[in-house]
Amino acid sequence: MYYIIVTGPAGSGKSTLTDSLAHWIEDNEMSVARVNFDPAADYLPYSPDVDVRDFLNVKDVMEKYNLGPNGALIAAVDMLINYISDLREEIESFNSNYVLIDMPGQLEIVAFRRVGPLLIDHLTKGRKSVTLFLIDSYLALNPLSAISLLLLSVSTLLRIKKPQILTLTKTDLLTPDQESKLLNMFSEEAQCSDMVDEVAAFDPELIIKLCEAVKESSIDVIPVSAVSGKGIDELYGSIQRVLSGGEDYLTEEASGKL
Ligand SMILES: Nc1nc2c(ncn2[C@@H]2O[C@H](COP(=O)(O)OP(=O)(O)OP(=O)(O)O)[C@@H](O)[C@H]2O)c(=O)[nH]1
Ligand SMILES: [Mg+2]
């Protein structure tokens, strides 16, 4: 079993990509377990195989502890630690080729608090795993937003400590010109100094150094659309390269155990 952690800012497309990547995996004759890890999820585009809402209800946490929606979500995720062994057992019982974990959009859970990485470590113990950090393509068209989003991706990389693939989502919303501008910006050859020129930064040297550091931290940048399906096969290829050195799952290391 290989674990794929789907993370990224609120609304970046995690649940929609979980759905379309799961379909892609199944269409290619492999099995997948869809795990909803968001205790506050109202609507999901897929039917979860394992759902943290079966263990905790954010509305109950709000009422019991007099918390607002954000505080209650953070508290609910903290409380998940009590159920982590049950969750892991339930997930492992599927014995699927892949497990997709659809994380909540509040990035502080993984980037700034201890509990997120702790939960992920428990879930994935002894299994190979990879993180997808999702970036909304439309937001990333603005170079300063792109650098800011990349910094957030580094925060999650530092805490989750797993190989991380940057996944540029919703590319169907871009015009061909916008798409090529975005791909140029994220390409290995792109000069950070060109990006900074465009935004007339207050401290260009600092921004260039940050931009260069964050560009080195991710293994791959893959543009996708969960709506049109474009790029999902490249994303799978990148996941494969990380998890099994590019060998097809079905021919290599079927248990996925480390
Ligand atoms: N056009 C387009 N819209 C998308 C795509 N992926 C997601 N969306 C839309 O973006 C919005 C947010 O998508 P979600 O999948 O709920 O995003 P999320 O990251 O799971 O959101 P949270 O869990 O609330 O953080 C929804 O309206 C989706 O329909 C895509 O590839 N193309
Ligand atoms: Mg979601």
Side-chain angles (χ1 to χ4, degrees):
M1 288 173 89
Y2 290 139
Y3 282 68
I4 303 171
I5 319 287
V6 185
T7 188
S12 54
K14 298 176 289 296
S15 302
T16 314
L17 184 67
T18 297
D19 183 42
S20 85
L21 184 56
H23 276 296
W24 192 97
I25 291 171
E26 284 173 342
D27 287 348
N28 284 276
E29 288 166 20
M30 293 168 281
S31 56
V32 61
R34 299 156 173 85
V35 180
N36 171 46
F37 216 74
D38 184 352
D42 212 13
Y43 161 80
L44 290 172
Y46 57 89
S47 166
D49 300 299
V50 179
D51 194 339
V52 293
R53 294 174 302 180
D54 294 341
F55 294 84
L56 273 171
N57 181 317
V58 165
K59 287 202 177 92
D60 292 346
V61 175
M62 282 172 78
E63 276 170 27
K64 189 165 177 197
Y65 298 99
N66 277 334
L67 292 168
N70 290 315
L73 173 65
I74 302 281
V77 174
D78 279 353
M79 290 173 203
L80 277 179
I81 205 81
N82 299 318
Y83 306 103
I84 196 69
S85 300
D86 296 339
L87 275 165
R88 158 100 186 191
E89 213 172 286
E90 204 182 325
I91 294 170
E92 291 275 318
S93 73
F94 282 86
N95 201 20
S96 55
N97 297 135
Y98 288 93
V99 177
L100 287 175
I101 310 224
D102 178 16
M103 295 295 289
Q106 268 82 350
L107 269 187
E108 54 264 57
I109 290 166
V110 278
F112 312 127
R113 296 173 63 85
R114 213 169 115 66
V115 70
L118 207 63
L119 290 168
I120 291 171
D121 279 355
H122 266 78
L123 281 186
T124 60
K125 199 164 178 202
R127 298 291 190 190
K128 285 189 179 176
S129 51
V130 61
T131 305
L132 307 183
F133 187 90
L134 273 51
I135 289 183
D136 185 321
S137 296
Y138 200 80
L139 297 181
L141 282 175
N142 175 300
L144 206 50
S145 301
I147 294 171
S148 203
L149 287 161
L150 286 170
L151 286 171
L152 279 173
S153 81
V154 175
S155 298
T156 71
L157 180 72
L158 288 176
R159 302 306 308 275
I160 300 186
K161 299 196 199 94
K162 292 188 187 300
Q164 183 162 281
I165 299 168
L166 285 181
T167 311
L168 303 175
T169 59
K170 311 186 194 179
T171 53
D172 57 288
L173 296 177
L174 304 182
T175 63
D177 276 359
Q178 286 173 327
E179 190 169 351
S180 74
K181 179 184 163 192
L182 188 73
L183 294 183
N184 281 339
M185 201 154 80
F186 279 88
S187 74
E188 273 178 38
E189 302 76 42
Q191 297 293 320
C192 285
S193 49
D194 294 341
M195 281 169 83
V196 173
D197 266 0
E198 273 195 53
V199 295
F202 69 98
D203 186 345
E205 285 302 306
L206 173 68
I207 305 279
I208 290 170
K209 278 188 196 141
L210 284 174
C211 167
E212 281 166 355
V214 293
K215 276 187 75 171
E216 276 173 26
S217 67
S218 69
I219 27 178
D220 252 339
V221 182
I222 311 282
V224 299
S225 164
V227 168
S228 72
K230 197 173 150 196
I232 303 290
D233 43 358
E234 284 88 353
L235 179 61
Y236 178 77
S238 178
I239 291 168
Q240 271 307 107
R241 279 193 292 282
V242 173
L243 292 176
S244 56
E247 297 292 335
D248 191 82
Y249 177 86
L250 294 173
T251 59
E252 183 78 1
E253 207 181 3
S255 77
K257 269 201 168 155
L258 281 172

